[in-house]
């Protein structure tokens, strides 16, 4: 790796010299543009609209235009901005990591000690470990003042640049303001589906399918040229998919569970709720209904199971409920066994 920037972390009066490296890289296959008639390479030129000459990058300045007035700023003038000349990563506060909104994360950088003794670097790392906090920092990089979060990954300090608050858009969707009726059976069925798909996140098990298939297409084209048959390369049905339209939510949930269970029968609770739909104007009390379609009360065990499911569904994600586990333990265990068998 090549360092893209050198500076120092200002931790109170402690100075921690560091080198900054990009922590991520792009492995996408690079494609360029050509003329489809003769295969000629398409290139973009920096042409001046006044003199029509092609301009070298070294002769290009930047400008700002407002109300018909243009201000041209030379490279030297831009470099005179104090923040641009700062090589300091200033720690401004330490915060709990759960207070950081993931949507604000932008890009990650590794920080390497840049001094004969890494003691100050290790001291800052230990301080973050001991207090279980994230350092909020301010720094300047590539003609922009940035906000960042300093955290630890495998004994290395990682700097993650953050978007400024006004760069994150507000979400406002009127459809979410309408009253939606979710039945107890739908909640129970969706919880069972979640349990059947539950696993630890292991990113190395996932593949960028598009890049793999693009490489396959390139190799097939190199071998067969213009006689390439994409149906033969990928299979005639490879590009076909569902339209995403859900006619009956309960039916979709039941089929999803059946698929995860290897085509077994749907749960009895799922069959009881097959007539429910995903929309309606009933108030929140309707979501907790445990009576069957005939209006008769459900047996005590069924009511207890529904109440347990209601409690599980109301909890935030990541918190397991004994009630949900009791309802969906068998499907989950079976799905896990199926996955293990496939992995073997």
């Amino acid at each position: 790796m090549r360092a893209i920037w050198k500076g120092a972390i200002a931790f109170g009066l402690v100075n921690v010299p560091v080198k900054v490296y990009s922590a991520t890289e792009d492995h996408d296959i690079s494609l360029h543009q050509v003329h489809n008639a003769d295969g000629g390479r398409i290139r973009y030129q920096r042409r001046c609209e006044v003199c029509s000459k092609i301009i070298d990058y070294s002769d290009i300045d930047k400008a700002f235009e407002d109300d018909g007035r243009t201000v041209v700023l030379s490279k030297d003038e831009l470099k005179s901005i104090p923040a641009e000349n700062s090589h300091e990563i200033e720690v401004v506060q330490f915060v709990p990591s759960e207070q950081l909104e993931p949507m604000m994360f932008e890009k990650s950088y590794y920080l390497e000690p840049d001094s004969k003794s890494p003691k100050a670097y290790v001291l800052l790392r230990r301080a973050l470990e001991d207090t279980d906090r994230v350092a909020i920092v301010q720094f300047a990089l590539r003609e922009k003042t940035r906000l960042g979060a300093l955290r630890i990954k495998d004994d290395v300090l990682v700097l993650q640049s953050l978007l400024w608050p006004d760069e994150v858009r507000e979400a406002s969707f009127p459809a979410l303001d309408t009253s939606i009726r979710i039945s107890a059976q739908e909640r129970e069925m969706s919880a069972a589906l979640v349990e059947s798909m539950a696993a630890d996140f292991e990113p190395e098990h996932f593949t960028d399918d598009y890049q793999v298939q693009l490489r396959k297409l390139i190799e097939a084209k190199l071998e067969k040229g213009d006689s390439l048959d994409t149906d033969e390369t990928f299979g005639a049905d490879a590009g076909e998919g569902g339209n995403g339209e859900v006619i009956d939510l309960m039916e979709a949930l039941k089929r999803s569970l059946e698929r995860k269970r290897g085509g077994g029968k749907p749960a009895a609770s799922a069959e009881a709720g097959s007539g429910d739909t995903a929309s309606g104007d009933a108030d929140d009390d309707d979501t907790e209904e445990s009576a069957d379609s005939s209006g008769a009360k459900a047996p005590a065990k069924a009511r207890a199971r529904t109440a347990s499911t209601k409690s599980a569904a109301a909890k935030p994600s990541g918190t397991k409920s004994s009630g949900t586990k009791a309802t969906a333990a068998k499907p989950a265990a079976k799905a896990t066994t199926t996955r293990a068998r496939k992995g073997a």
Side-chain angles (χ1 to χ4, degrees):
M1 290 192 293
R2 182 174 62 88
I4 63 170
W5 191 77
K6 286 186 178 183
I9 302 171
F11 172 37
L13 296 178
V14 178
N15 198 269
V16 187
V18 292
K19 293 179 181 178
V20 179
Y21 300 83
S22 291
T24 59
E25 56 187 351
D26 186 357
H27 284 164
D28 288 355
I29 296 173
S30 179
L31 302 176
H32 58 259
Q33 295 179 324
V34 296
H35 185 193
N36 59 10
D38 54 24
R41 183 79 176 263
I42 303 298
R43 299 186 183 276
Y44 292 91
Q45 299 174 326
R46 296 178 291 270
R47 188 180 298 275
C48 174
E49 65 179 21
V50 174
C51 65
S52 298
K53 293 181 179 178
I54 298 174
I55 310 301
D56 291 334
Y57 184 78
S58 59
D59 295 328
I60 295 177
D61 287 332
K62 295 184 178 180
F64 174 79
E65 186 171 342
D66 184 36
D67 291 334
R69 300 178 58 190
T70 301
V71 177
V72 177
L73 301 171
S74 68
K75 293 181 180 66
D76 290 338
E77 289 169 337
L78 289 171
K79 287 180 180 178
S80 70
I81 297 175
E84 173 67 14
N85 296 319
S86 173
H87 283 259
E88 185 176 87
I89 302 173
E90 180 189 5
V91 177
V92 292
Q93 59 182 183
F94 293 90
V95 303
S97 59
E98 61 268 19
Q99 292 183 0
L100 291 175
E101 167 56 57
M103 194 177 291
M104 294 182 67
F105 289 121
E106 190 176 23
K107 188 168 174 57
S108 299
Y109 303 91
Y110 289 131
L111 302 184
E112 178 192 21
D114 189 26
S115 61
K116 294 180 179 179
S117 172
K119 185 173 182 178
Y121 183 99
V122 175
L123 174 64
L124 176 56
R125 190 188 70 200
R126 291 279 173 82
L128 293 174
E129 289 174 339
D130 294 342
T131 59
D132 194 23
R133 297 243 168 179
V134 173
I136 299 300
V137 301
Q138 286 188 301
F139 63 105
L141 180 65
R142 293 172 177 166
E143 300 179 354
K144 185 176 180 180
T145 302
R146 302 171 186 264
L147 194 64
L150 204 61
R151 61 172 75 235
I152 306 166
K153 183 184 185 301
D154 301 330
D155 292 335
V156 176
L157 290 177
V158 174
L159 173 63
Q160 293 180 281
S161 59
L162 303 174
L163 296 170
W164 293 100
D166 60 357
E167 293 178 317
V168 179
R169 294 174 173 175
E170 290 290 333
S172 178
F173 304 112
L176 296 180
D177 296 332
T178 58
S179 178
I180 303 295
R181 179 184 181 275
I182 303 294
S183 71
Q185 289 85 357
E186 287 168 336
R187 293 176 67 173
E188 183 177 352
M189 187 69 100
S190 61
L193 179 57
V194 169
E195 284 296 326
S196 72
M197 300 174 68
D200 292 326
F201 178 54
E202 298 177 359
E204 63 273 12
H205 291 171
F206 296 88
T207 305
D208 186 345
D209 291 338
Y210 180 84
Q211 294 300 316
V212 172
Q213 293 164 7
L214 176 58
R215 173 65 66 185
K216 183 177 182 179
L217 178 64
I218 291 172
E219 291 173 352
K221 183 79 177 198
L222 286 172
E223 179 183 349
K224 300 184 178 180
D226 291 338
S227 63
L228 172 71
D229 184 347
T230 56
D231 286 348
E232 180 183 340
T233 303
F234 297 117
D237 299 331
E240 296 179 4
N243 57 13
E245 184 179 2
V246 178
I247 303 300
D248 188 324
L249 183 56
M250 279 302 297
E251 184 64 23
L253 287 169
K254 284 197 295 183
R255 289 183 181 180
S256 299
L257 272 172
E258 288 172 3
R259 182 178 300 175
K260 285 297 174 184
R261 293 168 178 168
K265 288 185 178 182
S269 58
E271 294 173 355
S274 61
D276 291 330
T277 59
S279 62
D281 297 322
D283 57 22
D284 292 340
D285 291 338
D286 289 335
T287 67
E288 313 305 337
E289 290 178 353
S290 58
D292 60 18
S293 58
S294 64
K297 290 185 177 179
K301 288 185 179 179
R303 290 199 302 273
R305 186 164 59 248
T306 303
S308 299
T309 305
K310 177 179 68 177
S311 174
K315 289 187 177 182
S317 59
T319 304
K320 290 189 177 180
S321 165
S322 59
T324 303
K325 194 181 295 182
T327 303
K330 289 184 178 179
K334 192 167 185 180
T336 304
T337 304
T338 303
R339 284 197 300 273
R341 201 177 295 131
K342 287 182 179 179

